[in-house]
Amino acid sequence: MESRIGMMRGTDYFRDGVNLFVNRAEETFQLEYHAHDFYEIAYVSEGRGYHHMNGDVLPVSKGDVFLLPIGIPHVFRPRSAADGERLVVYNCVFPQTLLEQAGRTVPDANVGQLFEPKGKIVRDPHLALEPLLLRMLDEYTARRTGWSGLLFALFVQLLVDLSRYADRTEGTPKAAETADTIADAIDYIRLNAAQPLTIRQMAERCGISERHFFRLFRQRTGQSFLEFLQNARIRIACERLADSRHKIGAVAELAGYRDIQSFHRVFKQIVGMTPGRYRQMARDQKAGTPRRT
């Protein structure tokens, strides 16, 4: 156990009238064992190591989430000081006033209970929270028009998702467990859309029949499994077309299509234009070129 305890204060982090701070940092052996006068959500993003927390030493890996209340002493450490041993953590810190504001926004989520009395540890099994934290970090650092309001909305979403994860860990009624299973399936498909997924695989993953999975999935998303998968793949393709120089055939493969003809057909059906036209439009928008009608 580390004996010296430093104190971090919110006044060093909350600026410009925004009571929220987000970063992604590589942990080292230099940061001292510390407590703080604010709440913290710490998400392990990369690597493995240890979390020294309130006298305990816990091994951590990607997808572990620590919900830390005010005053809990802690520090993250990488597994060793050797080169290549990294531990990277997203930190989202905020005062009690912001937690109370979020609680009033979603009173049925009981978000305040996530941190009391000694905090919670939850697991993000499909790494669905990392894209949300990345979006929060982007909004926090880029500060585009409306960023503070959008950042708060993303913060509320993060708390609600964590509340659901905590409910799942502590035990919920059967109907809620089934709903959470479908939610996990949705997250899994989004994250693995480029893989050769089938409805049978997803039904087995959920522990239910294909017919039951099909009905629940359509009820939850308003789409069939195939429609949802195609939209997820085309979303990947749109991102690649806009942000990379890959040839269209390579983009199709990265999005999960082995047949270029099928890719062109589905892309035009969903987006309303060819992949080549979409890429040109995205480039024109980045360059500030007026869009042709």
Side-chain angles (χ1 to χ4, degrees):
M1 177 177 177
E2 304 192 33
S3 57
R4 182 182 176 185
I5 300 176
M7 176 59 72
M8 293 185 174
R9 303 195 179 279
T11 51
D12 295 325
Y13 295 92
F14 309 137
R15 298 171 182 170
D16 301 326
V18 177
N19 289 332
L20 189 62
F21 172 84
V22 186
N23 77 343
R24 183 177 185 271
E26 182 170 350
E27 303 295 343
T28 68
F29 288 91
Q30 278 67 55
L31 181 64
E32 65 180 351
Y33 197 57
H34 62 275
H36 30 69
D37 66 356
F38 47 78
Y39 291 90
E40 178 176 0
I41 298 169
Y43 183 98
V44 180
S45 170
E46 183 180 336
R48 300 174 68 182
Y50 299 95
H51 190 201
H52 300 247
M53 183 176 71
N54 204 27
D56 296 324
V57 181
L58 305 171
V60 301
S61 60
K62 186 175 179 66
D64 287 334
V65 192
F66 292 85
L67 312 178
L68 304 169
I70 293 171
I72 291 289
H74 79 113
V75 71
F76 285 95
R77 301 288 190 214
R79 195 160 51 171
S80 79
D83 289 342
E85 291 284 355
R86 304 184 72 212
L87 179 63
V88 181
V89 176
Y90 280 97
N91 300 288
C92 175
V93 306
F94 47 92
Q96 184 168 345
T97 53
L98 195 69
L99 184 62
E100 291 171 350
Q101 183 182 349
R104 291 191 296 270
T105 303
V106 285
D108 59 324
N110 296 319
V111 296
Q113 295 182 10
L114 288 171
F115 301 88
E116 301 299 343
K118 296 182 179 180
K120 282 187 173 64
I121 306 168
V122 299
R123 180 77 184 159
D124 180 15
H126 305 310
L127 310 181
L129 295 181
E130 188 164 14
L132 176 58
L133 286 159
L134 179 59
R135 179 76 188 279
M136 292 178 68
L137 180 59
D138 177 58
E139 291 297 334
Y140 183 82
T141 55
R143 307 203 170 196
R144 296 177 290 265
T145 301
W147 71 275
S148 59
L150 182 52
L151 183 62
F152 177 71
L154 294 169
F155 171 65
V156 171
Q157 181 182 341
L158 176 63
L159 290 176
V160 170
D161 285 345
L162 288 168
S163 180
R164 292 174 177 177
Y165 283 4
D167 285 346
R168 207 172 310 172
T169 301
E170 294 166 4
T172 55
K174 185 66 177 176
E177 288 180 3
T178 302
D180 286 338
T181 297
I182 297 299
D184 282 345
I186 291 169
D187 288 339
Y188 185 85
I189 295 166
R190 285 181 179 138
L191 291 168
N192 298 278
Q195 303 304 314
L197 303 178
T198 67
I199 193 168
R200 169 180 280 186
Q201 290 173 335
M202 298 311 303
E204 289 178 353
R205 185 180 182 85
C206 293
I208 56 180
S209 69
E210 290 182 46
R211 182 176 181 180
H212 193 39
F213 176 82
F214 183 89
R215 182 179 63 81
L216 291 176
F217 191 87
R218 180 180 281 280
Q219 184 181 68
R220 190 69 171 268
T221 65
Q223 304 171 67
S224 71
F225 167 76
L226 182 58
E227 289 170 337
F228 187 91
L229 179 60
Q230 298 283 36
N231 274 280
R233 286 176 170 173
I234 295 304
R235 184 163 54 248
I236 293 171
C238 287
E239 292 173 356
R240 297 284 186 174
L241 288 167
D243 298 330
S244 77
R245 295 178 178 271
H246 293 308
K247 293 182 178 180
I248 290 176
V251 169
E253 288 190 17
L254 290 169
Y257 290 92
R258 305 296 175 258
D259 178 20
I260 189 68
Q261 302 288 339
S262 295
F263 171 67
H264 275 272
R265 175 176 53 79
V266 175
F267 191 97
K268 189 169 184 180
Q269 178 183 334
I270 291 176
V271 181
M273 64 184 74
T274 66
R277 177 72 185 105
Y278 180 87
R279 167 170 273 174
Q280 187 59 54
M281 183 188 72
R283 288 175 176 173
D284 289 346
Q285 288 179 339
K286 281 187 176 181
T289 306
R291 181 180 175 182
R292 296 186 182 90
T293 56

